[in-house]
Amino acid sequence: MTIGIVGLGLIGGSLAKAYKRNQDITVLGYDIDESTVEFAQLAGDIDGVLTPDRLAECDLALISTYPQASMDYLEAHADEFSKTGIVMDCVGVKQAMCDFAFPLAAAHGFTFVGGHPMGGTQFSGLKYAKANMFDRAPMVIVPPVYDDAAFLARVKSLLKPAGFGPISVTTAKQHDEMIAFTSQLCHIVSNAYIKSPTAGTHRGFSAGSYRDLTRVAWLNPDMWSELLLDNRENILSELDGLLENLNQYRDALANADQPALRELLDEGRKRKEQIDG
């Protein structure tokens, strides 16, 4: 099996390291930063450089760059991908990617599958990549067809060496609606929360709650601004709901209304127990 990886940052680098745990798999890698590719080769994370003429060798080509850069790469190399392999992106939004890539793939005779590896850290770059990043982690895929069991089994087989746990098959629309809540809203809230003037003097007064809430404030602003704008309608809907809920807490506090505040807190506790308890 030959795996090609475009973009050797945190996600692409971790995928390379994961696949390289299997000595029977050849991993080819490309990054716009040549020094990153050189380092990946020296570290044994990849077996060689993924040049355009080697794209046809890839049973699975994983495009792990920013949204627009992923689209640009797909378009630039549409005629060079394997006609029997699979091309999959690793971008955190799927509607924009799939709307662009599905017709492109059909026109140029390659197979595209939308993908979203559900793992990562607040850091970026190859130096933070880990071979076990995706061990037992969820993977979401958006295939071009949903009624071909053999095709889906093949996709899952290609992803298996990376260590993924449950693999969910969904639509681009449903993915983006869910990810607006489970990931993107969390990053906005964390990033906004840390801007409090009080944050500068938190040491000695903070523990797990602070760490949990602020971890993803340490994000890549270039990448996240692209992701958020690509999914802005779903995020705006989630933000509007959150602001409405927060205003209820604010009103109860402003009015010193302990029964109302207690009810709001109990509603949230019950909701958490209902969903995750």
Side-chain angles (χ1 to χ4, degrees), residues 106-264:
H108 292 269
F110 68 92
T111 301
F112 176 83
V113 176
H116 187 182
M118 301 299 293
T121 73
Q122 66 270 39
F123 305 111
S124 59
L126 180 61
K127 67 178 180 179
Y128 296 108
K130 299 185 296 183
N132 64 351
M133 178 77 76
F134 302 111
D135 285 357
R136 296 176 296 280
M139 175 67 174
V140 182
I141 61 172
V142 179
V145 293
Y146 297 87
D147 57 355
D148 188 335
F151 175 74
L152 293 176
R154 179 180 165 218
V155 173
K156 292 177 181 179
S157 176
L158 288 168
L159 292 170
K160 185 177 180 180
F164 289 107
I167 295 179
S168 300
V169 181
T170 187
T171 64
K173 180 177 184 295
Q174 184 179 31
H175 169 276
D176 285 3
E177 288 172 350
M178 290 302 302
I179 219 69
F181 170 71
T182 62
S183 175
Q184 294 173 330
L185 182 66
C186 301
H187 282 75
I188 291 174
V189 170
S190 179
N191 198 265
Y193 171 81
I194 198 63
K195 294 177 182 177
S196 167
T198 314
T201 54
H202 79 86
R203 299 187 192 284
F205 297 88
S206 58
S209 298
Y210 172 85
R211 288 193 301 271
D212 290 346
L213 185 53
T214 60
R215 180 181 67 83
V216 293
W218 200 339
L219 47 71
N220 180 329
D222 293 321
M223 181 183 74
W224 276 96
S225 59
E226 273 198 53
L227 291 171
L228 297 175
L229 286 171
D230 280 341
N231 199 25
R232 60 187 177 276
E233 294 302 326
N234 288 318
I235 299 170
L236 284 170
S237 177
E238 291 293 341
L239 269 176
D240 288 343
L242 176 63
L243 291 170
E244 182 179 344
N245 289 333
L246 287 174
N247 277 325
Q248 293 181 40
Y249 290 85
R250 191 190 187 287
D251 290 345
L253 286 165
N255 296 325
D257 189 340
Q258 194 271 343
L261 183 59
R262 186 196 181 283
E263 180 63 23
L264 289 169

Side-chain angles (χ1 to χ4, degrees), residues 77-90:
H77 300 286
D79 289 322
E80 295 159 325
F81 292 115
S82 168
K83 300 301 185 286
T84 58
I86 289 172
V87 180
M88 179 182 294
D89 80 297
C90 299

